[in-house]
Amino acid sequence: MSAVTGDWRAEVPAVAARLAQAKRVAVITGAGMSADSGLPTYRGIGGLYNDIEVEQNMPIEDILHAYTLARNPALTWKYIAQIGRACRGAGPNDGHRVLAGWDNRFETWVITQNVDGFHRQAGSRNVIEMHGNLSRCYCCACRAAFSDEALDLEVLPPRCAQCDGLVRPDVVLFGEMLPEVALSNYEREIVRGFDVLLAIGTTAGFPYIAEPMLRARRAGAVTVEINPDQTVLSNAVTHRLAGRARDVLLALDAALAEV
Ligand SMILES: [Zn+2]
């Protein structure tokens, strides 16, 4: 059962032994994965957002909502731009790099709720960004694509250089569906099956995360949770490592090298 804190190191050899025999591994990551990158421990879109002062007493979930983007895009963009600056000032940490290195040991699929793009930056080959990527933007009217660095954010919201339409980030705002391509890629890989599934730094509150983990365990796969906090998965996984993502991944990788 779940050791609440501290003793996660005792679980490391057992998990490393499972990984050493795995052919396909799924890694589902959330905000805790990027907490060691110097980003605030965000919540909100893709785990993005922390204690930034909000205005008009509006909850951040309302500011980063499709409804607000449509009616008051300057307000939504004010926060999007802040989050974007935080992401550009940070980068992948050792935990991201450990996962990228696993591509050379077994087939690794990274399914991330994060929109910071750090898994790709670290070099992971198979990345499914369930909530999009903040550095990609597009015009709502003509669908022209822009990188966030190419946008003029002096005047918000940014407008399309071609048609003057509203430009938005390619992320899932509150009130929006998950992107179809990401969802179908995810489902395709879940159906193909995994030997080990790890949920890292995610509260796993979304059914699309919790349910495949539970189903996989019932089907005989090994499930692992890496999270200092208790989640809905904590008592349902094969192994629970109650530590920070970066620390646990470095320890797992070191143990894996010795198996
Ligand atoms: Zn346009």
Side-chain angles (χ1 to χ4, degrees):
M1 294 307 288
S2 59
V4 175
T5 51
D7 262 355
W8 59 265
R9 284 180 191 278
E11 288 284 297
V12 165
V15 177
R18 303 284 206 159
L19 283 170
Q21 292 173 357
K23 291 191 173 61
R24 279 173 46 88
V25 173
V27 185
I28 303 166
T29 68
M33 186 74 218
S34 294
D36 291 310
S37 283
L39 290 184
T41 42
Y42 291 123
R43 64 187 171 84
I45 43 167
L48 278 182
Y49 188 71
N50 191 24
D51 299 323
I52 306 169
E53 282 292 309
V54 290
E55 43 196 281
Q56 301 160 17
N57 290 325
M58 261 174 98
I60 194 64
E61 288 82 355
D62 288 352
I63 292 174
L64 298 177
H65 197 285
Y67 180 93
T68 308
L69 180 72
R71 284 158 190 80
N72 188 356
L75 179 61
T76 303
W77 258 106
K78 181 179 167 185
Y79 291 89
I80 295 280
Q82 276 188 43
I83 296 164
R85 278 194 297 275
C87 289
R88 277 196 301 277
N93 63 59
D94 288 338
H96 294 98
R97 284 184 278 272
V98 163
L99 294 179
W102 285 2
D103 278 341
N104 301 319
R105 300 195 67 111
F106 32 70
E107 186 179 343
T108 308
W109 283 85
V110 176
I111 298 104
T112 188
Q113 299 169 285
N114 299 339
V115 296
D116 51 41
F118 292 166
H119 286 295
R120 287 186 201 279
Q121 281 182 44
S124 279
R125 287 198 287 268
N126 304 318
V127 181
I128 301 176
E129 293 174 320
M130 296 301 285
H131 291 197
N133 187 314
L134 200 59
S135 67
R136 291 192 308 258
C137 298
Y138 65 90
C139 170
C140 295
C142 77
R143 297 270 150 178
F146 302 91
S147 94
D148 64 335
E149 284 170 344
L151 290 175
D152 176 9
L153 297 180
E154 290 295 310
V155 181
L156 297 177
R159 292 276 165 191
C160 175
Q162 295 173 25
C163 78
D164 204 41
L166 174 66
V167 173
R168 62 162 291 168
D170 190 4
V171 298
V172 179
L173 296 173
F174 289 98
E176 293 182 325
M177 310 280 283
L178 295 174
E180 265 177 48
V181 172
L183 203 53
S184 70
N185 287 344
Y186 175 58
E187 283 165 359
R188 179 196 68 218
E189 294 306 320
I190 289 287
V191 167
R192 289 180 63 202
F194 289 101
D195 304 305
V196 180
L197 299 89
L198 302 97
I200 305 180
T202 169
T203 55
F206 295 94
Y208 75 81
I209 295 172
E211 278 169 19
M213 292 280 289
L214 300 174
R215 247 185 291 131
R217 185 172 184 195
R218 282 196 297 272
V222 174
T223 55
V224 180
E225 179 176 64
I226 301 173
N227 199 322
D229 302 319
Q230 284 274 343
T231 78
V232 293
L233 285 174
S234 296
N235 293 320
V237 289
T238 324
H239 299 280
R240 167 161 160 72
L241 295 92
R244 293 176 67 94
R246 175 184 169 278
D247 299 345
V248 177
L249 285 171
L250 283 171
L252 270 180
D253 204 45
L256 196 51
E258 289 173 15
V259 173

